Amino acid sequence: MKDKKEDDQKRLVSLRTEIDELDQQLIDLLAERRAKSLAAAEVKYAEHSPIRDQHREEKLLSLRLQHGRERKLDGHFVSRIFHEIIDDSIRYQQQFLQRKLNSKTGEEVEIQRIGFQGSKGSFSHLAAEQYFSRVGVPVTFNGCTSYRLVVEMVERGDFDLGVLPIENTTSGGINEVYDLLQKTRLVIVGEEKYRITPCLLGLSGTKQSNIRRVYSHPQLALQCGRFLSDLDVPIETSFNTNETVEELRRTNAKDSVVIASEEAAELLGLDIVKRGIADQTDNFTRFLIVARQPIRIDERVPCKTSVVLATANKPGALVDALKVFQDNKVNLTKLESRPVLGNPWEEMFYLDFEGNAESDHIRFVIEEVRRHSRFLKVLGCYPSSDIIKTEVAPHGKTPTDGASIPHIPREKARVSTKEEGARSKTDNAKLYSRDYKLEDSVIDVRGVRIGGDSFVIIGGPCSVETEEQIFQCAKHLKETGGHVLRGGCFKPRTSPYSFQGLGYAGLELLVQAGRTYDLPVVTEVLAVEDVHKVAEKSDIIQIGARNMQNFTLLQEVGRTQRPVMLKRGMSSSIDDLLNASEYILSQGNQQVFFCERGIRTFENATRNTLDLSAIPVIRQKSHLPVIVDPSHAAGTRDLIVPLVYASRAVGAHGVMVEFHPNPDEALSDGPQALLFEQWAQMMEQLR
Ligand code: PEP
Ligand code: MN
């Protein structure tokens, strides 16, 4: 009996050794297969032939299935394994083509620094490893404490690429990453789907029944909601598993666990207390790879384009925008809506669709959609991680047996549309121009319309000075029928010794006054780093005359959601002004209007010379609204009212005029501020 047991043991050991050897052979064979696949990709590259041959894939699969059946292997098993293998091979070949297309010839491949949120063994790290294992360049992985930091480090050039989770099949979209994408200059260059299998990890000896506390990244906690609510212990937020684990070690806490991957358990020397705690077994996260520069995509590689847009404030605008995709037979793969920060109940839409953003067809579609949008930004174009599976039924017959479906290359599948004739004209048209868009643009700011047939009246003090002053102005503006409250908080003064504005404290007062009297507000922004903070509060962002050609500032306001009033530089031509607006529009923000505020001439009877002829010229050349600021043009209060009437007569879409409760005491531009009575009279006569 004892001998029999020993013999069995020996036999088991030797069987295990043989199985190990077979497994190793499988690995060697897979590596060999990959090498051959790479060689095949080189030939395909040289011959310009397609990467995929689905007929061949089908044949290959059914041969394998048949072979499998002869060897008594079940069809589903063989089919699953070969799908994986073919999948890997296609991705590998696609990556090869991408590398060829995007590599700078003759240069050494540099080590790429990859940033991700979390510590080693986090799911972001694992997804990044999976993605870069196919890219075939040397990489280093660098954990960061937040998504924002990942983005900033890539923007600054400290990392080459960032990996960010964007959506999960259980918990949905990741808000913070969507917001970062809208604002950043980075572009999406790749995507990766990764199966997330969270586990409970604890110090050796930790038991599920003893758990009193769970530490988790908020995203992972959302994916394990059901399990955690049954467990019924406090959940602590942790963005850095490493640090949390150090703390557990320090306190020898055997009543606390962290939610992390199996790999992390190994890396951190922890026990797996419980596996499979996600609400769904098919729990995947889609990660985006972001970089400073877009990549080019080989036309043989199926790809996706992502955009973020906000449609115009009119009924049916979203349907109109979506119809463009339908009419042009572009397949939308994702539509996600997110609230706009600072604009309650307004939505931004994130769209993914199939197609190459560099192709004429997709470029045309994007420009068509832009016409229905007040904001549109292309987030990037990248190889799709979805590989269309070649289907072969496990019993052997292919679905296309007999009647084979011809393989139509994607590029050929484009349809021509009625508008194609018109495209050549508008193809390179500047976004501000009438060639790009014939009808007048109208901007809606909290129900106030700027453009079209309306005449908007913006008024208020040059600078926000005190709470009392700005509230008095807001009240007066409202009572006299004005539409938008102005007030400078960051002042671009000619002398550094003059009053520079109250900054954010002033902005707070301006916004409060505006909310109290139900008036949208406009204020100037001077510095790139203030743009998004000001955009969160101010309904309109002003770019002043002195910054009209501050191109980085223009681009930054182009990444916000707020309408922008672009003032003409005092020594700038109309064309300079129009081209400056293109810097904003090309970043996504389509809500720009111009403001003529006088230019420098030899004439010095007035502070500047109000160029009223600019109004009809701009209206001829551009669909964007244009208003007039006679205050900074004239410089003295008695000249302003007649210029307001003149502005209306030449077709301006509105005016901006400074007034002050006590101009003699004003901290800036007192001489040009209308008295309250003057303003009230003017408003009376404008009715
Ligand atoms: C202003 O409107 O507050 C201002 C400073 O105007 P400008 O940039 O036209 O000088
Ligand atoms: Mn002023």
Side-chain angles (χ1 to χ4, degrees), residues 410-470:
R410 227 163 256 272
E411 293 304 299
K412 293 244 168 66
R414 62 172 282 201
V415 289
S416 42
T417 62
K418 274 205 301 282
E419 292 88 341
E420 268 196 311
R423 183 189 314 177
S424 52
K425 185 165 163 258
T426 60
D427 220 13
N428 295 317
K430 299 249 171 75
L431 297 171
Y432 68 72
S433 72
R434 288 271 183 200
D435 276 347
Y436 175 73
K437 187 176 172 199
L438 202 55
E439 68 276 22
D440 279 0
S441 284
V442 177
I443 299 168
D444 185 295
V445 195
R446 296 173 160 270
V448 173
R449 289 164 64 79
I450 304 173
D453 296 331
S454 65
F455 192 74
V456 68
I457 296 167
I458 307 177
C462 181
S463 307
V464 177
E465 296 167 1
T466 62
E467 181 175 343
E468 194 192 358
Q469 173 240 23
I470 193 65

Side-chain angles (χ1 to χ4, degrees), residues 303-428:
C303 59
K304 273 192 205 168
T305 299
S306 294
V307 301
V308 52
L309 65 88
T311 49
N313 274 331
K314 56 179 184 208
L318 178 62
V319 176
D320 288 346
L322 295 181
K323 218 171 152 299
V324 175
F325 291 99
Q326 189 189 20
D327 291 349
N328 290 284
K329 305 219 171 4
V330 172
N331 189 21
L332 270 181
T333 56
K334 169 109 198 148
L335 170 63
E336 168 98 22
S337 85
R338 310 258 19 108
V340 177
L341 278 185
N343 296 21
W345 312 115
E346 278 190 27
E347 304 275 335
M348 296 286 287
F349 298 97
Y350 287 79
L351 277 73
D352 295 345
F353 48 88
E354 288 175 2
N356 192 327
E358 271 188 32
S359 71
D360 288 349
H361 184 50
I362 297 297
R363 280 203 349 238
F364 171 73
V365 167
I366 291 172
E367 291 319 320
E368 281 299 298
V369 175
R370 198 192 296 277
R371 276 174 238 265
H372 298 283
S373 310
R374 62 194 157 85
F375 183 97
L376 187 147
K377 176 181 168 195
V378 177
L379 297 172
C381 177
Y382 46 94
S384 168
S385 71
D386 304 312
I387 291 202
I388 306 156
K389 280 219 179 346
T390 301
E391 288 304 338
V392 175
H395 51 74
K397 283 244 178 334
T398 71
T400 55
D401 266 0
S404 72
I405 299 168
H407 177 69
I408 304 169
R410 227 163 256 272
E411 293 304 299
K412 293 244 168 66
R414 62 172 282 201
V415 289
S416 42
T417 62
K418 274 205 301 282
E419 292 88 341
E420 268 196 311
R423 183 189 314 177
S424 52
K425 185 165 163 258
T426 60
D427 220 13
N428 295 317

